[in-house]
Amino acid sequence: MKSDSLSIPATNFASKKPKLVQILGRFTGGPAGQVGLLHECLGPWFETNLILGGLSPGEHDMSYLLSSGENVVRVEEMGRRISFLSDFRAFWKVYRFLRRERPEIVHTHTAKAGAVGRLAARLAGVPVIVHTYHGHVFHSYFGRAKTRLCLAIERALGLITTQVVAISDSQKRELCGKYRVIAAEKTTVISNGFHFAQFSSQEREAARKQFGIDKDAFVFVWAGRMAPVKDVELLGHVIRKAVSTASKAFFLVVGDGEEKPRLESQIQGCNNVKLLGWWRDMDQIWRTADAAILTSRNEGTPSCLIEAMAAGLPFVATNVGGIQDLAAGALHALANDMGHRANNGFLASRTPEALFHCVEELVNDRDGSRKMGEAGSAFVKTRFPADRLIANIRKLYDKLAGLRSTPKHQPIEGRPNGQTEPTQF
């Protein structure tokens, strides 16, 4: 895919470019796309470094989003699993790096990197510490005791954080109100950003033929990491309902993870689904699809739904977390507490019956589905462009660090280092 052009005024700092260190626990999933974009596109104004942790079994490295390995540091001990010894080693490596480099800004992303990175930055004397909550782990991840511990840790970390970035208005309400992990005055809402390029002109029928899908089928794509919070068991129930009712719904499932065996067992014998595993070329998948489906228990701003809408597709998703912020227009309640209809898709209640009801609404109204897709495309291209994300993050950094800038030359065109458009989900 070709990337969209960026049109962001360049900055002329009175001194050398300030140093910026981004820290992310695992370079996979939606956060990888956002952090990779920031690392690549902030280069003209900041001396950027990226610290990445290690992957868990079943996760796939998305380093293909980066144009090179330059200024990328790997700290394998900073993994998803909680381990006092590994976490201390990760902290010590990050701390030593920050002491040596003396960055003006450290920006952490996701829970583990946020804990290790913010503490290391504080002790290393970094003047500006920013943390982005791409989602949160305050429900549907752990048991009650572990969740309370996570809340206590996040509240303590909030005291040493200069500013928190929430990726949606609903997430800010949860962080500042419901869970009280950070003060509202220390929280800024900056939505995710994406490069929206034209999808390939390859015929839809040809794309479907590759997967052996009937041309009359209505194809739903589920894409993500198969972890408990994504609730693939709920997806399995919907797939089986579609089989039992002879629905024309067909499901392409993209991704891998610890819950995959559960789904494979659940859908055994179903002829309306294909499990594709990890897939880099998502534009090929979206060309094949008619809609996206998401079954999560908790979400921040799911990249897969934004990609689907950019491709002109509607969605069916559980009404959890930041998903409600992706609904365009007024919400209209469905009968029998099935959920809500928006201009661009359905926010379903978290039951197999509600999700399947919304699936059938799209299957049985192809013209309405197409109109929803058009509304979604216009919505995301207005709300989530990459240049808006970069400009907002730069403005935040400048404000927090007290940096003074003036225009130096004409806006840049294209992405730094000639990188092509990545795929995020």
Side-chain angles (χ1 to χ4, degrees):
M1 282 188 242
K2 294 181 180 178
S3 65
D4 293 342
S5 295
L6 291 180
S7 182
I8 306 171
T11 299
N12 177 27
F13 293 101
S15 59
K16 64 180 181 179
K17 291 192 292 186
K19 287 186 176 182
L20 164 67
V21 177
Q22 307 266 343
I23 307 177
L24 174 63
R26 291 139 38 232
F27 204 62
T28 190
Q34 298 303 300
V35 175
L37 189 152
L38 293 177
H39 177 65
E40 296 280 331
C41 292
L42 288 170
W45 307 283
F46 297 89
E47 184 180 325
T48 62
N49 283 277
L50 176 60
I51 299 177
L52 300 176
L55 295 174
S56 300
E59 294 180 329
H60 289 248
D61 189 5
M62 293 173 66
S63 292
Y64 57 83
L65 299 182
L66 303 173
S67 57
S68 75
E70 186 178 0
N71 297 330
V72 177
V73 178
R74 298 278 180 171
V75 178
E76 295 297 330
E77 293 88 348
M78 191 167 61
R80 184 182 180 195
R81 185 174 62 91
I82 296 175
S83 165
F84 177 80
L85 182 59
S86 293
D87 292 345
F88 179 78
R89 286 174 176 169
F91 160 79
W92 182 246
K93 288 185 178 182
V94 173
Y95 168 77
R96 290 180 61 190
F97 179 86
L98 298 179
R99 286 286 294 176
R100 183 178 73 245
E101 295 297 322
R102 297 287 184 181
E104 283 85 352
I105 304 168
V106 164
H107 189 162
T108 62
H109 305 261
T110 68
K112 176 61 73 68
V116 170
R118 282 186 279 177
L119 183 58
R122 173 74 173 197
L123 295 180
V126 176
V128 175
I129 303 172
V130 180
H131 178 69
T132 292
Y133 284 92
H134 293 272
H136 64 70
V137 295
F138 307 140
H139 71 77
S140 302
Y141 276 84
F142 310 121
R144 182 175 298 180
K146 196 170 183 180
T147 297
R148 286 179 176 173
L149 177 61
C150 288
L151 281 167
I153 291 172
E154 290 295 325
R155 287 165 183 161
L157 290 170
L159 299 176
I160 63 172
T161 305
T162 311
Q163 195 78 8
V164 157
V165 174
I167 59 176
S168 69
D169 292 325
S170 61
Q171 187 184 68
K172 179 178 179 178
R173 289 193 294 269
E174 286 194 328
L175 294 174
C176 304
K178 183 176 181 179
Y179 297 110
R180 296 179 288 109
V181 297
I182 192 74
E185 59 268 22
K186 292 179 70 173
T187 308
T188 300
V189 177
I190 300 179
S191 302
N192 288 343
F194 299 82
H195 289 287
F196 298 121
Q198 284 298 114
F199 283 74
S200 168
S201 60
Q202 179 180 339
E203 289 295 324
R204 183 166 173 269
E205 289 75 12
R208 288 188 167 212
K209 186 176 180 181
Q210 178 180 349
F211 296 111
I213 300 172
D214 186 86
K215 65 179 181 179
D216 293 327
F218 194 101
V219 178
F220 289 85
V221 169
W222 185 101
R225 177 172 56 92
M226 292 188 183
V229 71
K230 300 294 186 179
D231 202 354
V232 294
E233 183 179 1
L234 179 55
L235 174 65
H237 286 306
V238 176
I239 291 170
R240 296 202 68 87
K241 275 186 171 293
V243 170
S244 66
T245 60
S247 169
K248 288 188 176 296
F250 189 94
F251 300 85
L252 287 179
V253 181
V254 181
D256 206 341
E258 61 194 279
E259 293 291 295
K260 186 176 182 180
R262 180 194 297 267
L263 180 62
E264 288 175 327
S265 174
Q266 193 177 3
I267 63 174
Q268 195 169 26
C270 294
N271 61 358
N272 63 341
V273 57
K274 283 187 180 294
L275 304 186
L276 300 180
W278 289 104
W279 201 272
R280 281 179 57 168
D281 184 14
M282 282 299 293
D283 100 340
Q284 182 182 15
I285 301 298
W286 298 128
R287 285 198 309 272
T288 307
D290 294 291
I293 185 169
L294 200 62
T295 54
S296 301
R297 294 184 171 98
N298 185 13
E299 280 285 352
T301 301
S303 299
C304 64
L305 295 189
I306 293 175
E307 282 197 349
M309 284 188 277
L313 305 178
F315 66 83
V316 172
T318 47
N319 190 6
V320 297
I323 294 179
Q324 62 186 281
D325 297 300
L326 297 181
L331 295 179
H332 302 282
L334 302 175
N336 302 318
D337 197 30
M338 291 293 183
H340 293 82
R341 180 187 184 115
N343 290 346
N344 55 339
F346 289 91
L347 302 179
S349 301
R350 257 190 44 79
T351 67
E353 293 76 19
L355 279 160
F356 183 66
H357 173 82
C358 296
V359 163
E360 288 297 276
E361 286 282 311
L362 291 179
V363 170
N364 295 324
D365 184 6
R366 308 266 175 140
D367 186 57
S369 170
R370 178 184 56 78
K371 291 177 181 177
M372 277 186 164
E374 292 171 355
S377 179
F379 174 77
V380 297
K381 290 177 181 178
T382 300
R383 290 280 298 272
F384 299 100
D387 55 354
R388 188 268 314 146
L389 170 65
I390 301 302
N392 287 353
I393 289 290
R394 283 188 55 227
K395 183 178 179 180
L396 176 65
Y397 290 168
D398 288 356
K399 177 183 177 181
L400 296 179
L403 302 173
R404 299 192 177 189
S405 60
T406 55
K408 182 180 179 181
H409 53 69
Q410 294 298 314
I412 63 170
E413 294 294 331
R415 303 192 71 193
N417 305 318
Q419 185 189 7
T420 57
E421 147 108 354
T423 296
Q424 305 97 1
F425 62 85

